[in-house]
Amino acid sequence: MRAPFRIGRTGGLWIGGAVTVTVAFCLTLGVVTLPVPSFGGIEDLPLPGGADLGDHPYTVTAEMKDVLSLVPQSAVKVNDVAVGRVTDISLADGDNWSARVTMRINGDVQLPANTGARLEQSSLLGEKYVQLVAPTKGATGALHAGDRIPVARTGRNTEVEEVFGALSLLLNGGGVNQLKTITKELNKALGGRESEVRSTLRRVNTLVTDLDTHRGDITAALDGVNRLSATLSHRKEDVATVLTDLSPGLKTLEEQRGSLMTMLRSLDRLSGVAVDTVNQGKADMVADLKAIAPSLKALADSGKALPDSLQVLLTYPFTDEVLNGIKGDYLNVYLNMTAAPGTVLIPPLEPGTSASPTPSATAQKQNGKRAPEKAGSSPALPLPATSSPSASSGSPSSAPTSSASSGAASSPTGGDER
């Protein structure tokens, strides 16, 4: 059996020395290259208590108009919580008037693509850091490695030096010394008028309250004005044409200004005369109206009788009722006659008689003349026998009555038909 090979302590030292010499020789000849660590200063060291970048941080850049005294290794925060740090600050490419801030952010922090950046200060004399702010119009997408935040979404807070400078300008040349004069003049103006000032303030409060109550109406009115403006904007040519054509009319009015003023003065005098006339005749007019009141009341009480009377009066004697008896071109007339009590018919009328009897001699003598007979005249129509209302009731002393009914019509040729 072969014994194991053993290297003593001296042999180990020789082998280690040979390896060291070999590596040094290779590095000298450039056969093997190793990275050489660099150190640019204390600013390359991370600040104590900085943000944890995690295992997979990502890098984003932000362009700012002014970085003030921001330095590398400054904190990057979201809602005042450190999520990364600034790694580099340089000028932006193609624009030497803005700065580019490179930031490394913890990979577990997810931010929207339209995130903004603002340079802030931790306290009055504290360090500056970059605050990543949420978008103002809603988050969209996600922020990835290599993305850039443009200048439009970056900004900074006001510096303490700027505040002190503005305060110094106000105190030295801002008119502070005039506040005493202003206060004195206000005291003079308001002194002794406290009640009026309070009343004015109450009225202003009422006005503001009313305006606040009618906000909807005011908004609607402004919307209407906006629509009107839009309509006028679309019709600018028409408006220009109207204004151009209106110029001759305005020139004519300017030329006739004297006549218009004379007319207005005449109208003023006329109005004065009319008012004076009305004032002088006011009592008489009131008396006339009171006097005519009974007549108007009577007319109102007449009601429908007045128009009916006017209708008969204007068509008398041929009223509208006469037209009911006219049938075409013939006029039918029906007559009902009742003899007075004591009247005796001579000769008496008998039923069934076909011809009308002639007057008796006694009747002719009483009349003093004889009725002439016309040759060729047709006999008269017989009168039907009628009974008086008293006869129908059975009274023996009732007077005889007669009723005649005849129909006469004028033909278009002028003849009579019976």
Side-chain angles (χ1 to χ4, degrees), residues 62-67 89-92 95 97-101 151:
E63 295 183 359
M64 297 183 177
K65 292 182 179 181
D66 190 356
V67 292
I89 300 175
S90 61
L91 292 175
D95 185 5
W97 301 105
S98 60
R100 175 183 295 173
V101 179
V151 179

Side-chain angles (χ1 to χ4, degrees), residues 29 55 60 73 83 102 148 177 204 211 232 237 245 302-303 307:
L29 296 178
D55 297 333
V60 296
Q73 305 302 327
V83 296
T102 304
R148 181 179 64 88
N177 55 349
V204 171
L211 291 177
L232 293 177
E237 298 180 357
D245 296 340
S302 64

